């Protein structure tokens, strides 16, 4: 247990090993995961380090691996999961892997390029195919037009070539020679066609025939170019010059032009040609895809292995960059932080590594003394890992400070449960947590929170807002009736609310309910005024105890760092202040709970406390016990006296030691460093810094005010325990009353079906509102109570975390 | 033949969890109602007439308790059926997963 009480003792060690065995040694250390390498070249930028080329190579390989994985995902090839291998990567492997990767990448890129080109070819061929088919009717139409326009006459006014679509006005042109209509055929995107038509009109004023038709979208076409529709068009124009212009316009609109033969026979031949070519292309495409799939599948078997190798190598080179290589290039010097208890393990790992690489020289490990603060290392198992993470999120502990994590394993779920407090919801949460733990093996926090919630739910006697009557209630109604008490049967008819008076004998049996809150309160209408008082006082008691515990932990810190001065002038005044004011408050609460006072003369504890601070003792205020006035005055005066003690004494003492140590300053420090006590050397190191009086005084004033005011505000802050549990109970009751009770009140035949439906709604609402929302809220508030109110009594949290070189965590973050 | 699968794996799992919870909780509620637990008095749908018009109002209240209790048991039985259905869906979904791969 001492290992988790405070962080481990660390030491700085120097490693010397040969360059050949470097890879093996570092990879053994990486598998061990217990050392953190110190950066011996802090002034060197990343580009100037020795192994920067190798690191870049590894990064390039990672990029190729990512590309490969993406391609595999695109072709839906399953990547085989890792088999656990302890392969040690060595420099030869780097070169081998690099060449394999480059070859794979080149292959794949080439295949992809070919694939794209082939696809394009195929789509062109398909365009030509559709063009040829639709050209048939166009040509028929054109030939009929040509035949009806023969013979030409020189003085015929116009060669009107009209089409159903395009001509609006006639324009005159003279024809020289036999009517010969040239044509241009092509394919254009359908959305561009209207603009295309307009441009042609503007240019040629209707001296052309334009036919277009939409290409029927077959399935194959659609997979090729998505949903872009294309049109086939044919323009019949006269003259080469005009044809050039038309060609330019077509280029401008990105229409692809194809040559189309004029005779039917040639067209048929071309069509057959194209069909065969398309079939060939389709075959080639299929083969390409199969080849690609084959390449990827072969690679898929090794992808994980490769990527873990590459990651390890990159980590090793990165670590080598942190070390020093001596002049003869034969020896590598590294400095590591590791825990004192792990030194033998590290040494063994080094020896194993050097044996694996076959070098004759065993690596050397020697411990060196240092003044630097080591990193904070808290050994955790899978259970405490979660709680340690919670603490570390707020701040990593200072080296060898008390670790609050072991206590958090109990107090955190407990404070959560106080705010959550419903055994039905707690049960659901526990079952959910059990399921998660069997799946994932890490979420013990939720399990603990659930179990503690069941416990507090039993104490609050609250299960989905109903109470259990297990032991028999201590309240009885029967004795209130005649002849013992004042009620008659008519009283029941007249009054809306009746009050059970415990003074009447027999109503209250005198023995409180055995475990938890009496179930009679669940059906009482003044339930809240009882529960509120109970929960508020409970929150104050829990809060003061938690803070007291925190202050006690600071005592352990002072004792460990041999800071006995601080024990006297900081710890003791703080304890006295806290105990005399808030400890007394807790005692008052407990005392009032234990005695019986008639309710009309019972003094309110809050008022008693306020009057105590204000020294207000007028005679009409009742007191709880005799001599209360004297005791209270005594306590308040003591507490007030502690404040100047906390403010002034430490500053004066520091000032005095500073003045004294100013003369023989070197003698003092020499004496201390001969001592083998490393702990005090750390604290002495801090006080050897220059001291300025105002700084100390201000620092002390701030801390004193923070502590004193903090006591009050933090105690009040713990009232959130009451507030959240009240909110939870009320929400739960509302949900029951508004939802489930409606279902239970159906007395018709279909009542059970409605009940089943309504229960489903009740379950969903319970899970979303009460479990998730309230659970998160309670979690957050419990966390805040720990971080602020508990930890500011003793925790410094100014260390840095121990981050060892560990391949396991590296590979885990990858997945 | 038409697929008997009509919901995905998550919906089927949710249905299974909900029906297990429903069966347990409704069965317990049914037991508590039939044993005339006093804590559940507000959930029993009695009216003023029940109190005044009957010879033995206590027996009337007990009868109402029993009626609500039986409703709860029938609803629990409905959830048993839903649970069985969801369980079948879960099994069919698992089988479908194995077939594809």
């Amino acid at each position: 247990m001492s290992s988790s009480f405070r962080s481990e003792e660390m030491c700085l060690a120097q490693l010397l090993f040969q360059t050949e065995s470097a890879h093996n040694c570092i990879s053994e250390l990486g598998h061990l995961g217990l050392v953190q390498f110190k950066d011996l070249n802090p002034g060197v930028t990343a580009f100037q380090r020795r192994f920067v080329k190798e690191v870049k190579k590894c990064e390039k390989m990672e990029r190729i691996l990512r590309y490969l994985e993406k391609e595999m995902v695109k072709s839906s090839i399953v990547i085989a999961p890792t088999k656990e291998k302890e392969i040690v990567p060595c420099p030869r492997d780097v070169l081998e892997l690099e060449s394999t990767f480059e070859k794979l990448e080149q292959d794949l890129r080439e295949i992809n390029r070919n694939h794209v080109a082939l696809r394009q070819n195929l789509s062109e061929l398909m365009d030509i195919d559709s063009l040829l088919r639709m050209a048939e009717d166009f040509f028929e139409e054109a030939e009929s037009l040509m035949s009806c326009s023969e013979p030409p006459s020189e003085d015929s006014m116009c060669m009107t070539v009209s089409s159903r679509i395009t001509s609006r006005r006639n324009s005159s042109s003279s024809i020289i020679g036999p009517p010969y209509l040239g044509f241009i055929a092509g394919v254009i995107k359908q959305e561009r066609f209207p603009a295309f038509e307009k441009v042609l009109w503007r240019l040629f004023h209707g001296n052309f025939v334009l036919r277009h038709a939409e290409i029927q979208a077959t399935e194959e076409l659609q997979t090729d170019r998505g949903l872009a529709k294309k049109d086939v068009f044919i323009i019949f124009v006269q003259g080469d010059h005009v044809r050039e212009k038309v060609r330019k316009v077509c280029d401008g609109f990105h229409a692809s032009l194809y040559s189309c033969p004029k005779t039917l026979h040639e067209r048929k031949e071309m069509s057959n040609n194209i069909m065969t070519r398309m079939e060939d292309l389709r075959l080639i495409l299929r083969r390409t895809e199969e080849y690609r799939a084959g390449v990827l599948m072969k690679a898929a078997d090794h992808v994980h292995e490769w990527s873990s190798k590459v990651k390890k190598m990159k980590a090793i080179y990165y670590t080598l960059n942190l070390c020093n290589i001596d002049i003869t290039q034969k020896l590598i010097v590294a400095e590591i932080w590791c825990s004192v208890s792990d030194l033998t393990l590290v040494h063994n790992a080094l020896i194993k590594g050097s044996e694996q690489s076959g070098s004759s020289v065993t690596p050397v490990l020697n411990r060196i003394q240092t003044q630097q603060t080591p990193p904070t290392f808290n050994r955790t198992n899978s259970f405490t890992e979660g709680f340690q993470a919670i603490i570390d999120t707020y701040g990593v502990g200072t080296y060898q400070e008390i670790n609050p994590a072991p206590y958090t394993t109990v107090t955190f779920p407990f404070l959560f449960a106080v705010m959550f407090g419903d055994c039905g919801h707690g049960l659901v949460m526990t079952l959910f947590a059990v399921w998660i733990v069997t799946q994932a093996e890490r979420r013990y926090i939720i399990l603990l929170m659930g179990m503690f919630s069941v416990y507090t739910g039993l104490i609050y006697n609250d299960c989905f807002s109903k109470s259990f009557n297990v032991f028999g209630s201590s309240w009885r109604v029967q004795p209130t009736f005649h002849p013992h008490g004042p009620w008659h049967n008519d009283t029941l008819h007249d009054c809306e609310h009746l009050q059970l008076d415990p003074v009447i004998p027999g109503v209250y049996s005198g023995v409180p309910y055995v475990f938890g809150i009496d179930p009679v309160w669940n059906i009482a209408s003044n339930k809240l005024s009882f529960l509120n008082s109970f929960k508020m006082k409970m929150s104050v008691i829990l809060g003061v105890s938690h803070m007291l515990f925190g202050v006690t932990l600071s005592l352990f810190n002072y004792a460990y760092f041999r800071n006995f001065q601080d024990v006297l002038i900081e710890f003791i005044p703080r304890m006295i202040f806290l105990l005399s004011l808030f400890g007394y408050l807790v005692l008052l609460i407990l005392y009032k709970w234990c005695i019986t006072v008639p309710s009309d003369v019972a003094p309110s504890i809050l008022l008693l406390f306020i009057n105590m601070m204000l020294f207000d003792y007028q005679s009409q205020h009742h007191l709880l016990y005799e001599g209360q006035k004297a005791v209270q005055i005594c306590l308040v005066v003591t507490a007030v006296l502690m404040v100047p003690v906390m403010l002034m004494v430490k500053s004066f003492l520091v000032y005095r030691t500073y003045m004294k140590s100013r003369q023989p300053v070197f003698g003092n420090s020499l004496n201390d460093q001969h001592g083998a006590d490393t702990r005090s050397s750390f604290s002495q190191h801090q006080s050897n810094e220059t001291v300025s009086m105002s700084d100390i005084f201000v620092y002390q004033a701030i801390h004193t005010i923070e502590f004193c005011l903090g006591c009050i505000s933090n105690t009040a802050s713990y009232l959130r325990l009451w507030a959240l549990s009240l909110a939870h109970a009320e929400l739960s009751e509302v949900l029951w009353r508004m939802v489930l009770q409606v279902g239970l009140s159906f007395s018709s035949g279909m009542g059970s079906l409605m009940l089943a439906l309504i229960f489903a709604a009740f379950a969903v609402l319970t899970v979303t509102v009460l479990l998730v929302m309230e659970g998160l809220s309670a979690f957050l508030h419990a966390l805040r109570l720990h971080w602020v109110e508990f930890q500011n009594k003793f925790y410094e949290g100014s260390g840095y975390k121990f981050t060892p070189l560990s391949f396991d965590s590296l590979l885990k973050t990858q997945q | 033949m038409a697929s008997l699968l009509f919901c995905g794996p998550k919906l089927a799992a949710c249905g299974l969890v909900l029906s297990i919870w429903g069966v347990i909780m409704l069965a317990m509620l049914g037991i508590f109602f039939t044993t005339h637990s006093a804590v559940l008095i507000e959930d029993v749908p009695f009216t003023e007439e029940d109190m005044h018009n009957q010879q033995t109002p206590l027996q009337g209240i007990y009868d109402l308790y029993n009626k609500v209790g039986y409703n709860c048991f029938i609803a629990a039985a409905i959830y048993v059926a839903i649970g069985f259905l969801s369980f079948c869906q879960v099994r069919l979904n698992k089988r479908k997963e194995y077939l594809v791969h």
Side-chain angles (χ1 to χ4, degrees), chain A residues 464 466-468 493 522-523 736 741 744-747 751-753 755-756 759-760 762-763 766-767, chain B residues 18 21-22 25-26 29 32-33 38-43 45 52 67-68 71-72 74-75 78-79:
Chain A
F464 293 112
K466 297 287 169 192
S467 297
F468 288 117
H493 291 270
N522 193 267
I523 47 180
W736 181 281
Q741 204 168 58
L744 290 169
S745 60
F746 283 109
S747 36
S752 27
L753 190 62
L755 179 61
F759 177 81
F762 171 77
T766 300
V767 168
Chain B
L18 181 68
W21 183 2
M25 186 156 167
L26 284 170
L29 265 183
F32 287 135
F33 272 115
V39 172
L40 293 170
I41 187 74
E42 287 159 358
D43 298 318
H52 292 285
K67 193 146 63 138
V68 180
N71 265 350
C72 287
I74 299 176
I78 295 179
Y79 269 108

Side-chain angles (χ1 to χ4, degrees), chain A residues 543-642:
Chain A
V544 173
S545 337
H546 206 208
M547 290 198 290
L548 218 57
F549 181 53
V551 178
T552 320
L553 283 182
S554 75
L555 172 68
F556 287 116
N557 263 345
Y558 292 138
Y560 187 76
F561 289 118
R562 299 276 188 271
N563 209 345
F564 292 118
Q565 196 185 54
D566 269 351
V567 171
L568 225 54
I569 55 179
E570 276 211 13
F571 171 72
I572 292 191
R574 283 187 179 187
M575 280 296 266
I576 295 183
F577 185 83
L578 194 59
L579 281 176
S580 60
L581 288 180
F582 295 97
Y584 178 67
L585 178 65
V586 168
L587 278 174
L588 271 184
I589 294 175
L590 291 173
Y591 182 69
K592 190 175 173 196
W593 272 347
C594 294
I595 60 172
T596 46
V597 182
S599 52
D600 43 348
V601 298
S604 147
I605 295 210
L606 194 59
L607 287 179
L608 277 180
F609 194 65
I610 295 178
N611 289 336
M612 170 171 120
M613 302 300 287
L614 297 177
F615 291 101
D616 185 5
Y617 294 102
Q618 292 170 5
S619 55
Q620 54 254 51
H621 292 167
H622 296 272
L623 300 175
L624 269 183
Y625 57 92
E626 293 170 4
Q628 187 174 356
K629 183 167 166 185
V631 170
Q632 285 183 190
I633 294 183
C634 203
L635 287 173
V636 176
V637 166
T638 322
V640 169
L641 274 181
M642 289 297 126

Side-chain angles (χ1 to χ4, degrees), chain A residues 334-347:
Chain A
E335 277 186 17
I336 55 165
W337 291 109
C338 86
S339 156
V340 170
S341 46
D342 288 333
L343 272 179
T344 38
L345 278 173
V346 170
H347 200 64

Side-chain angles (χ1 to χ4, degrees), chain A residues 251 513 540:
Chain A
D251 280 341
Y513 191 70
V540 168

